[in-house]
Amino acid sequence: MAEMVAAPEKGPNAWAQAIAALVVVGALGGGLYVIQKNDAVAADKPAVCRVDDEDRKAAEKAHAAHRVSGTELCTALNRADLPTLLGTPQEHALTAYGSDGSVEMAGGTEIPSPEGTVQLDTYTVKLSRSYDDFPVAGMEELLNEAESKTIAGHPAVLYSSQTIAFSFDLGGGKSDTAPGGIARALAVAPDTKDGGGSYELAIWRQDNVRPDDAALLSIAQKVLPAIPGWAAAG
């Protein structure tokens, strides 16, 4: 038996220097996906953002540093109306989890990069936060199919990213990667002044069909203001 999952390639900023790390994250996420999908199917109810002792410690460390945690991002993303916002109201979350990782820059500096992920039958949605010093303005010059947007008064850029498909042979213990479909992503400044860092909301489909931009923008309008520490416009 094999399981297929996909993850979007990181955009510029600090993320672009961590593609190798993305493979590791994808493999770990894939294993968790199998476990939580089985739990959700068995219970026939939406998955919740699990919190264990390690998650609590990561959240405490993030709060002490005035950062958001992966569990908080997962909680903000895993809304009851998320399937409806995606245009698949008959579905529910099969997996929901947060992680608190970091990206190591060329000079050795580590930049925190927490993220939360929710997967349904049709869509996967990921919300992440990058604590680098790069503003969102100007990113459209570096990204594919990029266009400037404003989300709740915050500068933003809508763009496309290629996903990486991970294939797991659960019987033989082997894994493989291949190009996947297109993810649509939205990088949003954490404040109206665009002083550096960003949130990234990305959606992609399991069938590799191009995602719906309207769904992505609708989710952003609902989810981003629910993140602890979100700076309201004005």
Side-chain angles (χ1 to χ4, degrees), residues 17-227:
Q17 302 188 34
I19 297 301
L22 178 64
V23 175
V24 177
V25 171
L28 295 176
L32 187 59
Y33 162 77
V34 174
I35 295 171
Q36 292 196 343
K37 180 179 179 182
N38 289 342
D39 288 349
V41 170
D44 193 26
K45 61 183 180 182
V48 299
C49 299
R50 295 185 175 183
V51 181
D52 56 22
D53 289 340
E54 186 174 342
D55 293 326
R56 291 189 182 93
K57 291 177 182 178
E60 291 173 0
K61 184 177 179 180
H63 293 162
H66 304 288
R67 299 194 303 264
V68 68
S69 70
T71 298
E72 289 172 326
L73 293 176
C74 177
T75 301
L77 185 59
N78 193 26
R79 301 168 53 94
D81 62 352
L82 181 61
T84 299
L85 293 172
L86 286 167
T88 57
Q90 74 283 1
E91 298 181 2
H92 61 246
L94 300 175
T95 75
Y97 58 91
S99 63
D100 291 89
S102 61
V103 174
E104 184 174 349
M105 301 292 286
T109 302
E110 288 194 358
I111 296 177
S113 184
E115 59 185 37
T117 303
V118 177
Q119 183 165 15
L120 295 82
D121 278 322
T122 301
Y123 278 98
T124 297
V125 188
K126 178 177 287 187
L127 175 63
S128 60
R129 173 71 159 96
S130 180
Y131 286 90
D132 56 52
D133 296 324
F134 296 93
V136 168
M139 286 175 58
E140 64 273 12
E141 299 176 4
L142 306 173
L143 298 167
N144 295 325
E145 300 182 292
E147 56 181 299
S148 298
K149 295 285 184 181
T150 300
I151 302 297
H154 294 227
V157 175
L158 176 67
Y159 68 97
S160 292
S161 178
Q162 178 76 48
T163 67
I164 301 173
F166 296 87
S167 176
F168 298 90
D169 184 348
L170 302 183
K174 298 180 180 179
S175 64
D176 196 9
T177 62
I182 294 296
R184 290 293 281 168
L186 186 71
V188 185
D191 56 55
T192 58
K193 296 181 180 179
D194 195 14
S198 61
Y199 291 100
E200 185 187 61
L201 181 65
I203 63 173
W204 64 96
R205 293 176 58 113
Q206 318 309 336
D207 56 11
N208 292 339
V209 173
R210 187 183 178 90
D212 181 15
D213 284 355
L216 174 60
L217 296 173
S218 294
I219 294 169
Q221 295 285 355
K222 296 284 188 178
V223 169
L224 293 176
I227 299 173

